[in-house]
Amino acid sequence: MTRRRVLDSHQHFWRIDAPECAWPDADWPLLHRDFLPQDLAAAVAGVDLAGTVLVQSQPDDRDTDWMFEAAASDPVVLGIVAWAALDAADAPARVGQLAARPKCLGLRPMLQAIADSEWITGDALRPAIQAMIANGLCFDALVEPRHLPALARFARQWPGLQIVIDHGGKPDAANLMLDPWRDDMAALASFPNVWCKLSGLRTQQRQGQDPALLAPYVTHILACFGVRTMWGSDWPVLLHMGDSYADWIKDALMLAGDIGEAGSTRLLEGAAREFYGLG
């Protein structure tokens, strides 16, 4: 297979012994260690990497501050998606402070960990979302299928906010479930401000499941979002499946099917550049 240039829209760093690091725990043995810039450099050896977008992994200001320090002088990290407590009284000020930092591209609340599937539509978030739009920040939606109807209402409410669905909306691929995820994703794709990441799908499967079983999910995502679909590694989480960084590039292209040279370039690099404003 021809080696293709990649702009990774979704990767993580963490320090397992940091007090704010609540996950991964010992139940995830392949992930339960530090993952730092030098580890990424080793993982992408042989990959034609244009750069990455570093995404938060802990809902804690200390982790966010550390990410900016860790990536400040790392030329591989082109931008950062940070975390902030969007329902806090001082959220607009915090959003403004983060937006002023070099490399800040957006924010990601950890919606998957919030029991209230409707939290995203609450009035408490309005000042923070207004601040995000005013500062040109994007919104990464870490959702499960239960959140998708509320996310559609959120997208309708905030047409000026650029939103990307992380990990294809986390369908239940382990059990080969397509519905109601399929219809909910199609509804979200009708909003021009909503994009989708082709990332994290392998870890929605069981260990040992064939990546080829993801074909209906990838086909549907591409059919719905088209040029608004961007590739992301979800490294190092993908290591949980025994996959290498290069494995997911190969598998994603296999699952995408015949999208042509221009389509592959758009998926692997162009869409992330456009969404995050990386030039």
Side-chain angles (χ1 to χ4, degrees):
M1 180 179 292
T2 303
R3 191 170 82 154
R4 296 187 178 278
R5 190 165 176 81
V6 168
L7 198 167
D8 187 348
S9 70
H10 202 104
Q11 58 92 189
H12 306 288
F13 295 141
W14 58 67
R15 302 168 298 168
I16 207 67
D17 291 328
E20 67 273 13
C21 188
W23 184 90
D25 57 25
D27 291 338
W28 298 73
L30 296 177
L31 307 181
H32 191 61
R33 65 175 181 84
D34 291 354
F35 285 94
L36 301 169
Q38 60 266 32
D39 301 295
L40 177 63
V44 300
V47 173
D48 187 3
L49 188 67
T52 73
V53 175
L54 174 61
V55 180
Q56 64 81 224
S57 63
Q58 312 297 322
D60 194 295
D61 287 330
R62 294 171 294 180
D63 182 69
T64 289
D65 292 339
W66 170 76
M67 283 200 319
F68 281 100
E69 294 172 7
S73 59
D74 186 348
V76 171
V77 176
L78 303 181
I80 294 171
V81 175
W83 178 87
L86 297 182
D87 56 356
D90 64 347
R94 176 65 170 169
V95 169
Q97 291 165 1
L98 291 172
R101 295 185 180 184
K103 299 191 178 184
C104 188
L105 303 176
L107 298 175
R108 183 173 87 148
M110 300 194 79
L111 299 176
Q112 69 174 12
I114 297 173
D116 181 5
S117 300
E118 301 290 329
W119 179 86
I120 194 173
T121 62
D123 287 342
L125 272 64
R126 293 185 65 88
I129 302 303
Q130 289 168 343
M132 287 184 66
I133 295 171
N135 285 281
L137 295 181
C138 300
F139 186 100
D140 264 62
L142 177 61
V143 292
E144 297 173 336
R146 64 185 173 93
H147 297 99
L148 298 179
L151 185 61
R153 292 192 291 276
F154 178 78
R156 182 182 295 111
Q157 182 182 11
W158 300 105
L161 180 68
Q162 289 289 94
I163 300 166
V164 62
I165 303 169
D166 290 349
H167 312 326
K170 290 201 162 189
D172 185 5
N175 294 306
L176 306 180
M177 296 290 292
L178 282 164
D179 299 314
W181 170 88
R182 180 162 41 188
D183 288 344
D184 290 338
M185 289 292 282
L188 277 160
S190 70
F191 298 99
N193 59 320
V194 180
W195 299 50
C196 188
K197 288 186 182 180
L198 198 63
S199 62
L201 292 176
R202 282 287 283 138
T203 42
Q204 294 307 113
Q205 294 186 288
R206 295 189 185 93
Q207 288 179 319
Q209 275 187 309
D210 188 342
L213 294 173
L214 292 170
Y217 302 97
V218 174
T219 297
H220 187 63
I221 289 168
L222 288 171
C224 290
F225 291 92
V227 296
R228 289 177 285 144
T229 310
M230 66 191 76
W231 182 87
S233 69
D234 199 25
W235 180 93
V237 183
L238 63 85
L239 301 178
H240 175 69
M241 301 300 286
D243 289 2
S244 71
Y245 195 100
D247 285 337
W248 180 235
I249 299 174
K250 173 179 63 69
D251 287 341
L253 288 172
M254 176 270 292
L255 291 162
D258 186 15
I259 57 174
E261 186 72 21
S264 297
T265 299
R266 176 71 182 181
L267 176 66
L268 294 179
E269 182 178 6
R273 284 199 185 278
E274 181 177 342
F275 178 81
Y276 284 117
L278 293 171

